[in-house]
Amino acid sequence: NTLTEVATCERLIPLYTSNFEKYKNDAVWLKRAVSRLNSKECTENSLYPKMVEAYVHAAPSSDAYVFYAGILLDNKQDTKAIEYFDKAIGLETDPYKKANYYYKMALIMKSKGNPSRSRELAYKALKERPSMGSAYLLISNLYAASANSCGTDEFSKRMVYVDAADKARKAKAVDPGITDTANRYISSYMANAPSTKLVFTEGKVSGTSYTVGCWIGETTQIP
């Protein structure tokens, strides 16, 4: 109790640094130390992630792995964060939590410029939780962001937006709670869809199937 009252980062960091090697495999000591550093907001010091990693290895659990993955993300260590999300998924039995972990990994891969891998992870999240509309919205956004790179001319580029709108419709179909957001996506994407004039001049027929190329490789319908 006395330590709790007088403890400051200036006192705790040297104390835990000097004792770390002795207790780095002691899950109880590590948990208490990490909790105290966290409660005292001493998380900016380099000792904190070091102690959290030691605790994760001393007492592995999905929650511990995710907690550490969050710290790694804060430190811009995305690749290592994904490693620990993977570890969490391996231990987790709750499909709802697993879906959230896959979704977070999908967001990381999106930020790293890997839309194909991001989509793969989003679909894994949906497999665990089919009603996860946010995962469909993520895929929708990935498609729209790839319009210029996945099209070779105006028509093919605009058809990417049609496919993106399809995914936004799927999002609100499985999760009515995000209908307003999904509708904004749909409205924005369909504003970029091929016009009736463009469909005609390209010799296409409205309502017929069209396969979007590139990494997307999906079939949608010409509007």
Side-chain angles (χ1 to χ4, degrees):
N1 289 335
T2 301
L3 178 60
T4 300
E5 292 173 9
V6 301
T8 62
C9 295
E10 289 73 19
R11 290 189 174 116
L12 290 174
I13 296 299
L15 173 66
Y16 289 141
T17 299
S18 64
N19 284 291
F20 179 72
E21 285 301 317
K22 180 179 179 180
Y23 293 107
K24 65 182 180 181
N25 296 312
D26 186 330
V28 175
W29 183 87
L30 288 165
K31 182 178 182 180
R32 289 173 179 168
V34 167
S35 296
R36 184 162 286 121
L37 287 175
N38 189 55
S39 67
K40 292 294 182 176
E41 298 183 356
C42 306
T43 57
E44 296 300 316
N45 190 278
S46 60
L47 178 67
Y48 182 68
K50 183 179 177 181
M51 291 184 71
V52 173
E53 183 174 18
Y55 171 61
V56 162
H57 289 298
S61 70
S62 60
D63 287 341
Y65 285 147
V66 169
F67 180 56
Y68 185 49
I71 291 174
L72 291 169
L73 285 177
D74 289 341
N75 291 332
K76 310 299 182 185
Q77 295 177 267
D78 294 356
T79 301
K80 195 170 182 181
I82 286 178
E83 176 188 334
Y84 278 88
F85 276 125
D86 264 332
K87 289 176 182 289
I89 289 167
L91 293 177
E92 187 56 65
T93 57
D94 183 340
Y96 190 93
K97 286 185 176 181
K98 288 178 78 170
N100 284 337
Y101 301 160
Y102 276 127
Y103 180 71
K104 288 177 180 178
M105 290 169 66
L107 290 175
I108 294 171
M109 296 314 296
K110 177 191 175 187
S111 70
K112 292 174 75 69
N114 192 336
S116 179
R117 178 66 174 145
S118 181
R119 177 180 65 176
E120 178 187 343
L121 291 164
Y123 274 127
K124 285 186 176 182
L126 286 163
K127 184 177 180 180
E128 298 292 337
R129 183 180 156 204
S131 63
M132 193 176 199
S134 56
Y136 277 119
L137 285 184
L138 172 58
I139 297 171
S140 175
N141 184 258
L142 291 170
Y143 287 3
S146 297
N148 284 328
S149 58
C150 281
T152 56
D153 55 25
E154 182 183 1
F155 182 80
S156 59
K157 290 178 181 180
R158 290 184 177 276
M159 283 303 300
V160 178
Y161 287 106
V162 175
D163 205 5
D166 288 345
K167 290 297 178 288
R169 292 188 186 96
K170 187 71 174 178
K172 69 176 184 178
V174 302
D175 184 3
I178 61 171
T179 295
D180 288 346
T181 301
N183 282 340
R184 287 196 295 272
Y185 274 58
I186 295 166
S187 178
S188 173
Y189 297 153
M190 289 309 292
N192 290 298
S195 64
T196 302
K197 180 180 179 181
L198 182 58
V199 171
F200 176 76
T201 56
E202 287 290 320
K204 307 293 185 181
V205 179
S206 177
T208 57
S209 297
Y210 179 87
T211 300
V212 176
C214 195
W215 67 271
I216 297 174
E218 288 186 349
T219 300
T220 185
Q221 284 192 328
I222 298 173

